Amino acid sequence: MKSKVYGAAGPTERCRTCKGTGKITRKDKEGIAVISYGDERLAPSRTAIYIIIAVIVFLALTGTLVVLFYPRTVSATSTNLKIIYAEIGKNNTKLILRDTVNVKNSNYFVASLDGIDITVQYQQREVGKNTTEYGPDVVHPSIPARKVSPLNYSVTLEFNKETGSDDIWTYCCLIKYSLGFQVQVNTRFSYFSNKFEFSDSMYQIANCNEMIKHDDDYCYLDLTHTEITKRATG
C-alpha cells in the first residue's frame, strides 16, 4: 500500500516519526514531530553513569584537598646539647651551649618559624635562656613540607657558688664527667596566616671530656672558632 501525502508539494522523504508510513516534504525544515512518551529516543543517554562519575571525581578532589591542606603538627625537639665555650672556677662559671633543635613539619606545605625560646635548668634552677624572634623585616626560617630541619642556637649559662659553680668544677674539671640539663623549647610557627605554638621539654647531657685544666681551681674550653669554621665550610 502506497503512502499518501496530503498537501505536500515537491520532493518528499519518509517520515522518521511514524515508522515510515508517511512522507513529508524535504523543504519543510520546521515540521513538528509527535513522539510517544515511551519512545527510547527521549531517554537521556548514559545520564546516570555521567552523574556517578562526576560525584566520584568531586569526592576524590575534595578528599585530596582535605588531606593536603588539613593542618598538622609542627614540632621542635632539642636533640644535641654541646659545650662550645667554658670558663669554670669553683666560685664562678660561664658556659656557652650549642643546642641543635630538630624542627619537624608534618604538613604538606611549608611552615615558617616566627620565634623560639630555649630555657635551660640545672638542678631545677633556671640558669640560662635564649629568646629569638623573627620580626617582619627578618627572613623567617622556612620548614619544608614533610621534612625535619635542624637549627642551631646558643645558650649562655652563668653559675656562682650558690647556684652550683663548685659542682660544675667537680664534674668538668676534676673528674671530667658529664652535666645534665633540663631543656625546654617553646616555638612559634605560622602558615596560611594561622599562628600556633609548640612546647617540649627533655633531659639533655653535655659532655665535659674536652675540658682543659689550667690549674687546681680553673679549667676552660673554647670551641667557638671550630664551630664558626664548620658553619663556614658546611
Side-chain angles (χ1 to χ4, degrees):
M1 181 177 179
K2 296 182 178 179
S3 301
K4 296 181 179 181
V5 180
Y6 297 95
T12 62
E13 61 181 11
R14 290 185 180 278
C15 178
R16 301 174 184 175
T17 61
C18 48
K19 299 182 180 179
T21 59
K23 294 183 179 180
I24 59 175
T25 59
R26 293 179 180 176
K27 295 182 179 180
D28 189 1
K29 301 299 183 181
E30 299 180 356
I32 300 175
V34 179
I35 304 175
S36 63
Y37 181 77
D39 195 295
E40 295 181 355
R41 288 171 293 178
L42 294 178
S45 178
R46 301 179 180 177
T47 302
I49 296 177
Y50 295 149
I51 293 176
I52 293 174
I53 293 175
V55 171
I56 292 175
V57 171
F58 174 77
L59 293 177
L61 291 176
T62 303
T64 301
L65 292 176
V66 170
V67 170
L68 293 179
F69 293 99
Y70 183 81
R72 296 172 175 82
T73 303
V74 182
S75 59
T77 305
S78 175
T79 59
N80 184 22
L81 199 64
K82 182 179 180 180
I83 301 174
I84 61 174
Y85 183 85
E87 295 178 2
I88 302 175
K90 291 183 178 180
N91 296 323
N92 293 284
T93 293
K94 178 181 179 181
L95 301 177
I96 298 178
L97 307 181
R98 186 201 64 191
D99 188 17
T100 300
V101 179
N102 279 352
V103 182
K104 180 181 179 181
N105 183 8
S106 301
N107 294 286
Y108 285 91
F109 44 82
V110 176
S112 296
L113 179 63
D114 297 332
I116 182 170
D117 300 329
I118 301 175
T119 304
V120 180
Q121 292 183 344
Y122 179 73
Q123 296 180 350
Q124 300 182 344
R125 182 186 290 110
E126 182 177 322
V127 292
K129 185 175 183 178
N130 180 338
T131 298
T132 303
E133 292 289 345
Y134 299 97
D137 298 330
V138 180
V139 177
H140 293 216
S142 297
I143 314 303
R146 313 294 292 179
K147 297 290 185 179
V148 177
S149 299
L151 302 175
N152 292 324
Y153 296 91
S154 61
V155 185
T156 301
L157 315 181
E158 293 186 353
F159 302 85
N160 53 37
K161 195 168 184 179
E162 288 73 25
T163 57
S165 182
D166 52 346
D167 290 338
I168 303 296
W169 180 87
T170 300
Y171 287 125
C172 289
C173 299
L174 188 60
I175 61 178
K176 291 190 176 181
Y177 195 56
S178 299
L179 299 175
F181 298 97
Q182 190 71 26
V183 182
Q184 182 173 353
V185 179
N186 297 319
T187 45
R188 295 169 291 282
F189 299 96
S190 63
Y191 53 79
F192 296 150
S193 300
N194 297 320
K195 297 181 180 294
F196 66 97
E197 296 184 3
F198 181 84
S199 180
D200 192 17
S201 181
M202 68 293 299
Y203 190 78
Q204 290 283 0
I205 300 296
N207 203 311
C208 292
N209 290 341
E210 298 181 277
M211 294 294 169
I212 301 173
K213 191 173 182 180
H214 180 69
D215 53 38
D216 292 339
D217 296 325
Y218 177 80
C219 66
Y220 67 96
L221 176 69
D222 189 356
L223 300 178
T224 54
H225 298 293
T226 304
E227 295 295 322
I228 294 174
T229 302
K230 286 183 179 179
R231 289 195 294 268
T233 58

